[in-house]
Amino acid sequence: MTGRYDETEGRGPEEPVVVRDRRRIDPLTGEIRPAAPAAEPQDGPKHAAPAEEATEPEPAAHAGPGLGESLVDDSVSVATGLEKELAERTADLQRLQAEYANYRKRVDRDREQVVVGAKASVVGDLLPLLDDLERAEQHGDLTGAFKAVGEKLVGSLQRSGLEPFGTEGEPFDPSVHEAVQHSTSPDVTGPTVTMVMRRGYRFGERVLRPAMVGVTDHEPGGDAPVDPPVGGELPLEGELFDENNR
């Protein structure tokens, strides 16, 4: 009877399987493991290290990008975005500052116009009083303490901006003069104020009241010159009639 063949016959003792973890980073803690010391040679048969256990060279620190990686540095993109946003915010602040400056100028101008308008309204109510003072001075009634009070009032109003106009001899201006009388004369070269019936007043650039005046215009013709008599005076009309009847 043929004996059973045992596959283990003729083999030596099996070597134990050793698994070496050569990972540099600990998968549990995430820390870098210290380098393992070189193994000392042992007695026994030497076996070549498997190819997969060979130490792989570390990648270079300044190696180029791999396949599929971008050549643009993310830090440069972030800096460019911040500069763009900073420029936009600066432009917004400058525009806001310009709008605020224009607003301040407009408010100051409106406030000044309101103040000037209020002063002009008060001064306009005092114009009849100034007319009475002027008529009293023309008639010689403005004397004593009454004259001193009137001069102070007129001086205060003029310092505030009141300016009278409308004097004889100045050119006629229909924007500030109100003509109520018209005449002609060869003594003037154009429309001229020759009579002031009521003085006009302006406050700043605003005309409170036009001046009421009489205007004289230039007369282009005029009387024809008379030729001087020859040999003496001309005879009167009656003497000439008598000589003809003789």
Side-chain angles (χ1 to χ4, degrees), residues 208-226:
L208 299 181
R209 187 181 69 183
M212 186 180 298
V213 298
V215 182
T216 300
D217 204 350
H218 176 66
E219 185 178 357
D223 297 335
V226 179

Side-chain angles (χ1 to χ4, degrees), residues 141-163:
D141 298 335
L142 190 62
T143 58
F146 184 53
K147 180 179 180 180
V149 172
E151 291 177 352
K152 289 182 180 180
L153 176 61
V154 174
S156 299
L157 294 177
Q158 291 181 354
R159 285 191 299 270
S160 298
L162 182 65
E163 180 183 357

